[in-house]
Amino acid sequence: MSELSDEAKALRHREKMQKRKAVQDAEVAGKAITGKGLLIVHTGAGKGKSTAAFGLLLRALGHGWRCGVVQFIKGAWETGERDMFRRFPDLVAWHSMGEGFTWETQDRARDVAAAEAAWAKALDLMADPAIKLIVLDELNIALRYDYLPLAMVVAELSGRRPDLHVIVTGRNAKAELIAAADLVTEMSLVKHHFSAGVKAQQGIEF
C-alpha cells in the first residue's frame, strides 16, 4: 500500500480536526454556568502545588483582579513569590502567618494558635467583596494535623460568596474538602532531585 501524498495527509488531518472541533463546540455549548467562583484544591505528594496556585494568582493579576494570600505553615523564611507579589500591594493582600513546619516548631499549641490566626485572616479576606481570588497556602497541612476543625473550614469555604475563587494547597487533602471542591488536581511524585541529594534552591523551592 503506497503512502498518502502530502495533500491527502493534509486533507485527512483537516477532516479529522473538523470533526474534533464539532465535538468540542457541542461540549462547550452544553455548559451554561458562567462566573461561578471555584473551590480549587492542589494536593498530592509531588512538587508544584503552591507553584501552580501562584501561577493562577499571576494570571488573575493580569486581569486586574484584587487577590489575597494566606500562608498557614510557611512564613518563617523569605521566598521569591512573597517578595514578588508584595510589589503589587494595591492588588495583592499577602499574609504569611505560619511559623514553619511542625517538626521545626515542635509546639502544638503554638501551631494551633498560628493556624487559628491564619484562618481568621482568611475569613476577613473572604468577606471583602473587592477580592476575587484567594490562595490558602498549605491549609491542607493545618487540617491534616487537626489544627482547625475540618467541618467548620469546609462549611465556611462552601458557604463563601458565589463569585469568589479559593485555591487550597498542601499534601493529604481531606476527603471532605475534596468532595466540596469544584476542581481537584493531584500532583504525583515521579522523580525529585532531593532524593539525589540536591538541597532546596533559591528560585526553585523558595
Side-chain angles (χ1 to χ4, degrees), residues 7 22 24 32 39 41 46 54 58 62 64 66 70 77 82 103 116-117 121 128 134-135 140 148 161 178 185 195:
E7 183 179 351
Q24 188 68 28
L39 176 56
V41 175
F54 296 139
L58 184 62
R66 175 103 174 121
V70 178
W77 61 90
R82 181 168 68 179
W103 58 83
E116 289 175 344
K121 179 57 66 177
D128 185 346
I134 298 173
V135 176
N140 285 336
L148 296 168
R161 69 176 193 273
I178 290 174
T185 298
S195 62

Side-chain angles (χ1 to χ4, degrees), residues 3-15:
E3 288 191 14
L4 294 174
S5 66
D6 290 343
E7 183 179 351
K9 288 180 182 178
L11 177 60
R12 175 176 287 187
H13 176 77
R14 185 164 56 252
E15 291 174 345

Side-chain angles (χ1 to χ4, degrees), residues 39 67-73 93-98 113-129 131-140 142-143 148 152-154 156-157 159-161 164-169:
L39 176 56
C67 303
V69 176
V70 178
Q71 293 190 297
F72 280 78
I73 304 298
W94 187 287
H95 302 277
S96 296
M97 304 187 69
E116 289 175 344
W119 181 246
K121 179 57 66 177
L123 291 178
D124 287 344
L125 295 179
M126 289 168 62
D128 185 346
I131 291 180
K132 299 187 66 173
L133 182 144
I134 298 173
V135 176
L136 302 180
D137 193 32
E138 305 288 4
L139 172 58
N140 285 336
L143 294 175
L148 296 168
M152 175 198 73
V153 170
V154 172
E156 293 282 5
L157 290 174
R160 72 194 185 285
R161 69 176 193 273
L164 177 63
H165 302 286
V166 176
I167 310 168
V168 177
T169 74

